DNA sequence: CTGTTAGCGCGTTCAC
DNA sequence: GTGAACGCGCTAACAG
């Protein structure tokens, strides 16, 4: 009778109620708190709901409960495998817990980061903010308004998971020192990056301990291109070894070095950070491990904790790292003192 | 006075209304139909909304309008730069149109793809499904229920954008033929992939035209590792050139070849597909261009069209491709016929 | 131009 | 165990 009117409108809870001869409250309960209803009623409601083709409206449910089963993740560079692996892990875990994930990419822009944070608001229950470039104040403001978990940013009173690369980086410098390097250079990453500050300090401190010369050059964004473009500055320095902010930068440096006719590791040793390129560079990159997937999983479960009990505040997970030695480090060529120690090698280098 | 109660509740439209001394409807208008209000009022409302820290609640808005401004994108491998670049482009465009994006990663599993499609339903207005591994029937069923745009899958009656790599692949084979190759091998990608079928056919057809020997081997997932593991099979064949399903696979092949002591391109030519690794392989990879970013942008605007006028159905965008020659292709070494044409090269190869 | 009113679809007090 | 009534935050229709 009403089926002429009710064309193709998606059925609501009250359509089911009417058809089942119960109140809409009962239908709601049948789907969310079945234990409050008699088994017979539940079965009856579910059956006819299915017949009608009723499916609960997430949006309406969210508006009334405040929970919609979505979380957000914001990263600074989708093209970087570090973030990609982390997102992937978050996604898989979120899936297991029946959460959907919103993705945000800031392309290193703090403004965009701020905008996305706001934009997600109201649509997600919580946000995982990875390697933010925002100031502490801004982050704090957002953290007050919604559940927020940080990755690679250390800030009191905001739950966070940190990949502590200082351990691995220190190992790396020790490794270089033992090989005989006396002067190293650190290629800096994004200024707002906690990881960059941590790595820089670790390299500097370790270099000092070992009595090595230390300098830095700047690759403001962590990309292949930025790494490549910084090579002339590296070559202008007395350094025989370079530690790069991350693997992408290191890979760019490798390419730039090759173009300049510098053989790695014979004439220059290179160390990356993150270990996300595996053996896919040439030569295979010596780098500092990190575990983006584990960081992602940890961040997600931390976020779920926060969602459950709102008092989780000053939690701080720290993941350690270590050096992975592949083929881009060796003892330095003694380029100034002894020009041609090995004719074969030299010939090779010239070619 | 009320600030003791209003602790940290996120401000609503009526908070702004009260503070601004206007009705909540005006606040709503200030954010959605500013043209209906006097400029002064709009400015005033926006200013104090900003002071209070008000940000519109998308969920509530969605409940009343029926549109929530979310779209979903589902890809098969988040770690593949092809998808990453595409997502990035979609994200940027979505942002410009004030849409948020849900991300789904299937890890090549059709089941997961199906599940995500369902899960997103009701939370998004439309979905961009990239390089699906699902059957045509399943896809069709989903397309009936919600706005769906396909990337790299050709199916009547579903809007789609296709990257036509057959052009570039044909060029690639011609290039190899001109260099003197007589036998080539194609490394296949995922079975459910439209791009794989298209590329395979194109290589085969072009090889036939040129009178070249043609064979295939299988790397079931497009990854570095899969490419590497397929190298023994390549070496067991008479082929002097290989065309890989994508750049990742090609990069793995490069690595495997290097490990086997085969010099590229002298002893083996390698061509990739997608051109997403730039010059970051060693040697820099000859490959077939594609424009994942443009595909992403196109897909998004197509989806927006579908959302506006529900009659958009059989639209089919096709993006062309071409060969990008770098350093992994050259004329074949004449290994069987003329053992040592060039002593210098041979010495090099043996080392 | 602006305020008032009435829902969007659902979950949740209360009563019964 | 079940129903009636209210409200989540916002937009749309109608007044004025």
């Amino acid at each position: 009778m009403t089926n002429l009117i009710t064309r193709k409108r998606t059925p609501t809870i009250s359509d089911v109620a009417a058809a089942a001869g119960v109140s809409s409250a009962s239908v709601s309960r049948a789907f969310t708190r079945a234990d409050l209803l008699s088994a017979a009623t539940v079965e009856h409601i579910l059956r006819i709901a299915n017949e009608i083709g009723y499916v609960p409206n997430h949006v309406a449910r969210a508006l009334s409960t405040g929970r919609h089963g979505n979380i957000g993740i914001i990263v600074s560079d989708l093209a970087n495998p570090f973030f990609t692996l982390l997102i992937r892990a978050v996604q898989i875990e979120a899936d297991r817990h029946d959460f959907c994930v919103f993705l945000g990419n800031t392309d290193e822009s703090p403004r965009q980061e701020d905008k996305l944070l706001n934009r997600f608001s109201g649509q997600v229950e919580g946000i995982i903010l990875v390697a933010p470039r925002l100031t502490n104040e801004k982050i704090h403001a957002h953290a007050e308004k919604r559940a927020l978990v940080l990755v690679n940013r250390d800030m009191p009173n905001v739950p966070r998971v940190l990949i502590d690369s200082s351990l691995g980086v220190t190992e790396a410098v020790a490794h270089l020192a033992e090989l005989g390097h006396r002067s190293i250079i650190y290629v800096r990453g994004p200024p707002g990056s906690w990881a960059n500050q941590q790595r820089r300090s670790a390299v500097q401190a370790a270099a000092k301990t070992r009595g090595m010369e230390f300098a830095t050059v700047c690759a403001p964004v962590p990309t292949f291109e930025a790494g490549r473009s910084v090579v002339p500055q590296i070559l202008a320095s007395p350094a025989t070894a370079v530690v790069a902010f991350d693997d992408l930068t290191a890979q760019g440096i490798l390419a730039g070095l090759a173009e300049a006719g510098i053989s790695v590791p014979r004439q220059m040793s290179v160390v990356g950070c993150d270990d996300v390129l595996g053996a896919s560079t040439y030569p295979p990159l010596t780098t500092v491990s990190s575990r983006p997937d584990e960081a992602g999983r940890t961040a997600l479960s931390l976020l779920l904790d926060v969602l459950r009990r709102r008092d989780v505040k000053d939690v701080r997970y720290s993941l350690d790292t270590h050096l992975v030695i592949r083929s881009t480090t060796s003892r330095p060529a003694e380029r100034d003192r002894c020009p041609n120690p090995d004719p074969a090698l030299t010939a090779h280098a010239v070619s």
Side-chain angles (χ1 to χ4, degrees), chain A:
Chain A
M1 25 194 84
T2 54
N3 52 358
L4 287 179
I5 307 167
T6 321
R7 280 277 176 212
K8 232 177 351 191
R9 198 172 55 80
T10 105
T12 76
I13 205 169
S14 35
D15 293 332
V16 180
V22 297
S23 78
S24 56
S26 292
V27 180
S28 172
R29 287 176 185 126
F31 280 88
T32 51
R33 306 277 333 246
D35 54 302
L36 294 182
L37 257 38
S38 79
T41 317
V42 172
E43 191 192 4
H44 176 227
I45 293 178
L46 258 31
R47 196 173 53 71
I48 101 114
N50 186 45
E51 273 173 20
I52 301 194
Y54 167 75
V55 34
N57 182 325
H58 278 217
V59 176
R61 176 179 290 178
L63 184 59
S64 96
T65 61
R67 293 175 298 99
H68 28 43
N70 297 150
I71 60 139
I73 180 167
I74 298 179
V75 301
S76 57
D77 178 16
L78 247 183
N80 189 321
F82 176 84
F83 296 118
T84 284
L85 292 168
L86 196 149
I87 294 170
R88 188 166 163 279
V90 167
Q91 167 100 38
I92 290 173
E93 278 302 290
D95 212 72
R96 293 203 322 117
H97 294 275
D98 247 39
F99 274 80
C100 284
V101 5
F102 272 95
L103 173 65
N105 179 37
T106 69
D107 271 323
E108 301 282 346
S109 152
R111 275 194 55 211
Q112 176 72 355
E113 198 171 312
D114 201 50
K115 182 179 165 193
L116 283 171
L117 242 9
N118 281 327
R119 193 79 111 32
F120 281 0
S121 157
Q123 309 225 62
V124 299
E125 294 182 31
I127 296 181
I128 297 177
L129 185 55
V130 188
R133 311 303 194 211
L134 239 33
T135 62
N136 279 11
E137 294 80 48
K138 287 267 189 192
I139 294 176
H140 220 107
H142 284 292
E144 300 228 307
K145 289 195 261 186
R146 59 187 75 65
L148 192 63
V149 169
L150 263 27
V151 175
N152 273 8
R153 178 76 155 234
D154 200 3
M155 244 175 82
N157 290 322
V158 181
R160 54 211 182 278
V161 7
L162 273 7
I163 297 178
D164 185 2
S165 42
S166 64
L167 287 75
V169 162
T170 304
E171 260 186 77
V173 176
H175 169 62
L176 292 171
E178 274 154 27
L179 287 172
H181 293 271
R182 310 299 310 149
S183 171
I184 65 178
I185 196 163
Y186 174 70
V187 180
R188 305 200 304 271
S193 156
W194 173 83
N196 176 50
Q197 290 167 26
Q198 201 207 27
R199 287 166 194 180
R200 186 210 157 119
S201 307
V203 175
Q204 185 160 21
K208 189 172 179 195
T209 302
R210 301 274 173 171
M212 299 160 90
E213 266 183 55
F214 170 80
T216 74
V217 298
C218 181
V221 290
T223 63
F224 179 86
E225 262 321 311
R228 212 174 106 180
S229 69
V230 99
V231 165
Q233 295 176 60
I234 294 174
L235 292 178
S237 86
T240 55
V242 23
V243 177
F245 166 67
D246 80 345
D247 281 4
L248 252 38
T249 312
Q251 191 179 31
I253 292 171
L254 250 28
L257 252 17
E259 281 162 27
I262 305 295
S263 128
V264 172
R266 217 184 47 80
Q267 296 174 284
M268 183 71 74
S269 287
V270 176
V271 177
C273 255
D274 285 349
D275 195 21
V276 289
L277 262 22
S280 77
T281 64
Y282 182 83
L285 186 65
T286 294
T287 188
V288 172
S289 78
S290 68
R291 286 163 298 172
D293 49 349
E294 193 171 336
R297 275 194 295 277
T298 308
L300 185 82
S301 74
L302 190 47
L303 183 58
L304 293 179
D305 278 358
V306 175
L307 259 26
R308 281 191 205 97
R309 348 194 315 276
R310 317 244 353 136
D311 57 330
V312 186
K313 270 283 179 183
D314 208 12
V315 187
R316 183 192 141 121
Y317 277 94
S318 184
L319 270 40
D320 59 354
T321 60
H322 62 272
L323 181 66
V324 178
I325 299 177
R326 294 206 180 86
S327 314
T328 53
T329 45
S330 72
R331 62 181 184 76
E334 312 190 17
R335 54 175 170 179
D336 338 83
R337 293 156 219 157
C338 171
N340 291 330
D342 183 339
L345 281 178
T346 307
H348 193 86
V350 168
S351 77

